Amino acid sequence: MAGGAVSNSTYTSSPSNGKQAGNYLFPFILVTSLFFLWGLAYGLLDVLNKHFQEVLNITPKRSTLLQGAYFGAYFIMALPAGMFMNKFGYKKGIIMGLLLYAAGAFLFYPSARALNFDFFLLSLFILACGLACLETAANPYVTVLGPKESSEQRLNLSQCFNGLGSFLGPVIGGALFFGGGKDDLTSVQLTYIVIGFVVLLIAGFFYRTQLPEIKEAEAEGEAVMKDERPLFAHKHFVGGVIAQFFYVAAQVGVGALFINYATEYWQGTSNEKAAYLLSAGMVLFLAGRFVGTALMRKIAPNVLLAVYAFVNVLLCAFVMTGSGAASVYALIAVFFFMSIMFPTIFALGVKDLGKHTKKGASFIVMSIVGGASVPYLMGVVTEKYSTAISYGIPMLCFVVVFYYGWRGYRRS
């Protein structure tokens, strides 16, 4: 989805020598595959929006319920997934997530047979419940699968595969769903059946692979340890939850109606070509993470967050003009400046929470539910006014992100 968040908690595994570090390679590859899997699921989502509008004859407003089901599942499943993993361990939590993912993917077959959009929503909801489990577990696993000194490098590497999945999703969807003028759901059936079997295969590898135990270690400074304030008394945390809600809302909204926008305002653009343009946006999103990480060595994260958010406010304002190819290029550029927002807001929001760090992180993950509401509102505005005007909603969301990077991040 939005990309793996940067955790401020410290996790430890059993001491490792060189031999043990080598034994972490295969588990690391398995865990990194999870980042790719949820990136792929998200990348296909925006392509399904347009495809279902045409094949199932539904409105853009109704098609955005796909995002509602997808991100609503994150909101509902985040805390239960955490509780399950605290009781039974992260490995079982990952396997449960993969099984739910596969079950939701397989349900796409009967959904397509029935040509029932509501059944698709249920299938996607089950699939996304599995993704919520995977995202809850993946970050701490990546941090311990190797030397502690290189934990951030491993996390960034894994996040790159999330971006790769998000890029390939629209490419696959554009070629299979729209290629050759397809006007049925056969390709959707086959795509998700293949995904389901791949996910089951990876679940089998996890079942047969021994993974290190993860224990959270206290790593906060003395001043933080003495801070006895309740979680919601930390204003920067509350601001982080709000900013993350609006950021994810903006990110999902920007992608949800992208294909509609490109085909409407760039004359002669087909659905397939628009899907490839969406992939170009995902490439910029991936590149933006590398560029942003490098810039943060010289620029404070909150400053970079504010600058990027301000640029996106300006870009969305231009997108609202519906100025042909130029406005489509502006919309593609928005992806680059969104790239650093999720992990940066996350890291700023949980900073110096001490004993509340883990709980605070759960609430910030739950704020992903913002992605369930804004696409629908954009659909309403599209039907009443136009697709271009609907991009005023993400613009307002980026204003909130800008304020958090400017002032809201400050710790009281």
Side-chain angles (χ1 to χ4, degrees), residues 115-152:
L115 293 175
N116 189 317
F117 182 68
D118 292 331
F119 201 175
F120 273 116
L121 292 178
L122 175 62
S123 304
L124 188 63
F125 178 82
I126 294 171
L127 184 153
C129 283
L131 298 182
C133 295
L134 300 184
E135 289 216 41
T136 302
N139 284 335
Y141 262 118
V142 169
T143 61
V144 300
L145 294 176
K148 186 170 66 173
E149 314 83 64
S150 58
S151 61
E152 293 182 358

Side-chain angles (χ1 to χ4, degrees), residues 49-391:
N49 254 37
K50 181 64 173 175
H51 193 44
F52 285 161
Q53 289 172 35
E54 298 182 345
V55 178
L56 300 178
N57 194 28
I58 59 176
T59 64
K61 180 175 72 174
R62 182 160 170 74
S63 74
T64 58
L65 291 176
L66 289 169
Q67 276 75 14
Y70 187 94
F71 290 97
Y74 273 81
F75 178 76
I76 293 172
M77 196 66 182
L79 286 180
M83 294 169 62
F84 179 89
M85 292 177 194
N86 282 337
K87 185 173 182 179
F88 298 105
Y90 282 91
K91 178 178 177 178
K92 291 183 179 178
I94 288 174
I95 292 174
M96 179 180 74
L98 289 169
L99 293 178
L100 286 171
Y101 188 160
F106 287 135
L107 284 174
F108 267 65
Y109 188 87
S111 300
R113 294 268 297 182
L115 293 175
N116 189 317
F117 182 68
D118 292 331
F119 201 175
F120 273 116
L121 292 178
L122 175 62
S123 304
L124 188 63
F125 178 82
I126 294 171
L127 184 153
C129 283
L131 298 182
C133 295
L134 300 184
E135 289 216 41
T136 302
N139 284 335
Y141 262 118
V142 169
T143 61
V144 300
L145 294 176
K148 186 170 66 173
E149 314 83 64
S150 58
S151 61
E152 293 182 358
Q153 297 174 21
R154 291 193 303 276
L155 186 56
N156 281 326
L157 177 59
S158 295
Q159 288 175 4
C160 289
F161 281 87
N162 172 263
L164 178 62
S166 298
F167 158 69
L168 288 177
V171 173
I172 294 171
L176 297 181
F177 302 165
F178 298 134
K182 295 182 176 67
D183 58 356
D184 60 35
L185 295 175
T186 303
S187 56
V188 174
Q189 289 177 308
L190 294 177
T191 299
Y192 278 87
I193 286 294
V194 171
I195 289 174
F197 279 115
V198 171
V199 170
L200 283 181
L201 178 64
I202 293 175
F205 281 127
F206 268 102
Y207 178 76
R208 298 181 61 87
T209 302
Q210 185 174 359
L211 297 176
E213 289 294 326
I214 298 176
K215 298 178 182 179
E216 189 168 352
E218 297 293 344
E220 290 79 16
E222 186 176 341
V224 177
M225 293 297 291
K226 291 180 179 179
D227 190 344
E228 296 297 331
R229 289 179 298 164
L231 175 60
F232 283 91
H234 295 264
K235 293 183 180 180
H236 72 287
F237 159 72
V238 176
V241 172
I242 295 171
Q244 199 71 285
F245 176 93
F246 282 99
Y247 162 66
V248 176
Q251 178 191 336
V252 177
V254 165
L257 296 181
F258 181 96
I259 294 177
N260 289 72
Y261 186 93
T263 54
E264 288 177 35
Y265 295 99
W266 190 343
Q267 189 174 3
T269 300
S270 65
N271 289 330
E272 185 177 0
K273 179 181 177 181
Y276 294 149
L277 291 172
L278 178 58
S279 293
M282 295 300 184
V283 170
L284 287 180
F285 187 88
L286 178 59
R289 284 192 166 163
F290 288 105
V291 174
T293 300
L295 289 176
M296 283 183 190
R297 296 178 180 177
K298 301 289 185 180
I299 304 173
N302 67 286
V303 173
L304 199 61
L305 177 66
V307 171
Y308 274 27
F310 183 73
V311 171
N312 269 353
V313 170
L314 298 180
L315 288 171
C316 285
F318 183 67
V319 169
M320 291 177 66
T321 66
S323 303
S327 60
V328 175
Y329 283 126
L331 185 55
I332 293 172
V334 169
F335 286 90
F336 178 88
F337 293 100
M338 288 194 299
S339 60
I340 67 160
M341 291 184 181
F342 187 96
T344 304
I345 294 171
F346 191 100
L348 292 172
V350 300
K351 193 168 185 178
D352 291 344
L353 290 185
K355 63 182 180 181
H356 299 304
T357 298
K358 191 173 183 181
K359 188 175 181 181
S362 297
F363 278 104
I364 294 181
V365 169
M366 289 179 69
S367 69
I368 288 175
V369 74
S373 54
V374 162
Y376 185 79
L377 292 177
M378 290 179 67
V380 172
V381 173
T382 295
E383 291 189 3
K384 190 170 183 180
Y385 299 102
S386 69
T387 305
I389 295 298
S390 74
Y391 276 88

